[in-house]
Amino acid sequence: MNKKIYIAGPLFNQHERGYLETIAHNLEKEGFNCFLPHRDLTGVEESELKTTSMSQTTKTKIFVADLTALKASDLTVALLTGWDIDSGTSAEIGYTFANGKPIIGIDASERRFRNLFVEGMITEKVHYISDIIPAIKRKFSN
């Protein structure tokens, strides 16, 4: 199954980035082609990302790379943990939904009501990384 999956989620600390990397690793083991923004960003030097004042050129490169990956994806997996759904993740969910593609949200068994409009765009929600692959396969078996 050579489907392209965009992985959306907050990138504010090593824990969040590591969790997203674990999701990508598990999906890639199953043969999916994943785009993980902080890992797969091309055309931007690492030094550009570590500065406290990012240039508009760098911001534009990141936006174009993420948008290109979203357009090319068949499905988005979105990490929904935290007090509220991350604003960037919400934008990626909205873009995916507007383009008629499925979204699988992973909430890691947190019990919170978040932005119900954004959650309304999510095709299916799962609690554990191990639940993502069966959910994806259900979306593509139709």
Side-chain angles (χ1 to χ4, degrees):
M1 189 176 287
N2 193 17
K3 298 292 186 177
K4 294 180 181 175
I5 298 176
Y6 187 98
I7 301 177
L11 304 170
F12 298 110
N13 59 54
Q14 185 55 45
H15 173 74
E16 291 167 339
R17 291 187 297 273
Y19 197 64
L20 294 169
E21 289 164 11
T22 299
I23 291 169
H25 175 74
N26 282 289
L27 294 174
E28 289 164 345
K29 281 192 327 189
E30 292 290 321
F32 295 105
N33 181 1
C34 296
F35 179 84
L36 188 54
H38 73 280
R39 181 191 73 182
D40 301 324
L41 188 62
T42 58
V44 178
E45 298 297 322
E46 193 166 329
S47 61
E48 294 178 85
L49 301 173
K50 295 191 181 215
T51 180
T52 55
S53 58
M54 192 179 293
S55 72
Q56 186 57 49
T57 301
T58 300
K59 291 175 186 177
T60 300
K61 287 179 188 178
I62 293 169
F63 169 75
V64 169
D66 288 352
L67 184 60
T68 300
L70 274 168
K71 286 178 181 179
S73 70
D74 297 300
L75 177 139
T76 294
V77 170
L79 182 59
L80 309 175
T81 56
W83 183 251
D84 198 9
I85 300 172
D86 170 65
S87 60
T89 304
S90 294
E92 292 157 333
I93 289 169
Y95 185 88
T96 303
F97 180 82
N99 283 279
K101 298 176 186 178
I103 302 136
I104 296 175
I106 181 167
D107 66 9
S109 294
E110 288 187 2
R111 296 177 188 187
R112 293 191 179 138
F113 292 103
R114 296 180 180 86
N115 183 312
L116 297 179
F117 182 76
V118 175
E119 286 209 17
M121 294 183 224
I122 296 167
T123 309
E124 184 172 342
K125 197 185 301 183
V126 299
H127 298 299
Y128 306 103
I129 291 174
S130 60
D131 296 334
I132 297 172
I133 293 166
I136 290 170
K137 289 181 178 178
R138 284 192 295 275
K139 299 303 163 228
F140 293 128
S141 66
N142 299 335

